[in-house]
Amino acid sequence: MLTVQLDQAGTDQFQHLKETLGEPQATAHLGLLALRKHCQSDLAYFCRMILGYQQMLLDHDRLCQWMQQHRNAPKLILMPRGSYKSSLCTVGYTLWRLLNDPNLKVLIYSDTTEKAERFLLSIKQHILGLQGNGGFRSLTWPSHWEVNPQEKPWNQSAIVIAARTQGHLVPSVDVAGIETSKAGMHYDLIIFDDIVTDRNVTTIDQMDKVE
């Protein structure tokens, strides 16, 4: 059972919700706050229970714990294809970091822009409640993270989340391939996912680009 300790501001908010919505809905809101707080402190729980990665094993839990404990250190993760690497370390980790800091600026780099865009598509689908049985969208209720694409970036190559409270020229999540230059952009977190493939190491010129 999850519990949450309220400070004075939280107590005042609960009383306000209780008066306006009634005690059952106010209590449900309090439970959601407790769940969100727990998810912010437990990457493995967040990925398994909120994002719906139910096939996670003990090794995946250890990986999540390691990533969480060393979140500000450079990391090299080598895992076979089909072992949840991108789901946990690219999609899940990006959403988890944004849940903890909605003002974060993330760049996802892959061998092609199209592949990086697929990672972003998965992130957007979680935000919209189209993956993981809508777990992430329920977690962020009553707020929603998508924005009006006419006002802020929300497209196949970059998004700004509505939870952001600070103005930045850099998107919340940006993507690129090795053929794309991001000179002048300043990110808080850069994730390189499968930048080296058999298609970009066959010539000296290709290897220089990857490097």
Side-chain angles (χ1 to χ4, degrees):
M1 181 177 179
L2 299 177
T3 59
V4 61
Q5 293 183 343
L6 296 179
D7 56 15
Q8 186 59 49
T11 300
D12 292 342
Q13 182 185 24
F14 177 72
Q15 290 299 327
H16 174 71
L17 290 171
K18 185 177 178 180
E19 293 171 2
T20 56
L21 301 177
E23 185 170 354
Q25 289 196 42
T27 302
H29 182 73
L30 186 65
L32 182 60
L33 290 177
L35 176 61
R36 191 179 303 159
K37 186 173 182 180
H38 182 69
C39 288
Q40 289 174 324
S41 64
D42 192 332
L43 174 59
Y45 180 92
F46 171 74
C47 288
R48 177 181 285 109
M49 304 305 296
I50 303 302
L51 301 187
Y53 300 151
Q54 296 293 332
Q55 297 179 11
M56 288 174 59
L57 304 174
L58 180 59
D59 284 341
H60 295 120
D61 288 2
R62 291 169 177 156
L63 171 63
C64 288
Q65 183 179 23
W66 176 74
M67 293 181 66
Q68 181 174 331
Q69 290 175 345
H70 304 281
R71 71 181 70 181
N72 295 320
K75 307 172 187 62
L76 175 63
I77 300 170
L78 302 176
M79 297 173 64
R81 292 189 182 277
S83 57
Y84 262 17
K85 172 177 59 64
S86 294
S87 295
L88 296 176
C89 305
T90 301
V91 176
Y93 189 65
T94 296
L95 285 166
W96 182 76
R97 289 293 302 269
L98 286 170
L99 185 67
N100 278 277
D101 181 4
N103 294 305
L104 203 70
K105 303 178 292 294
V106 183
L107 173 64
I108 299 175
Y109 237 117
S110 195
D111 63 319
T112 66
T113 300
E114 291 75 16
K115 184 182 291 185
E117 288 174 349
R118 290 198 292 271
F119 296 136
L120 179 58
L121 176 61
S122 183
I123 290 170
K124 290 166 62 179
Q125 288 177 334
H126 278 293
I127 290 174
L128 295 171
L130 302 177
Q131 282 191 24
N133 294 319
F136 186 84
R137 192 170 182 84
S138 297
L139 185 69
T140 58
W141 182 88
S143 300
H144 296 312
W145 278 20
E146 67 270 21
V147 298
N148 184 343
Q150 303 299 322
E151 299 176 356
K152 296 179 181 179
W154 184 271
N155 53 59
Q156 66 182 15
S157 59
I159 64 170
V160 168
I161 60 173
R164 176 181 274 189
T165 60
Q166 300 174 2
H168 293 296
L169 293 176
V170 180
S172 301
V173 185
D174 202 1
V175 303
I178 59 173
E179 75 283 359
T180 307
S181 173
K182 290 293 181 179
M185 306 290 275
H186 301 283
Y187 302 95
D188 303 306
L189 172 65
I190 301 178
I191 298 175
F192 297 95
D193 194 318
D194 287 339
I195 59 171
V196 179
T197 69
D198 55 0
R199 293 179 297 180
N200 58 29
V201 293
T202 56
T203 69
I204 296 297
D205 183 61
Q206 288 175 332
M207 288 187 284
D208 287 342
K209 287 183 179 180
V210 174
E211 184 179 9

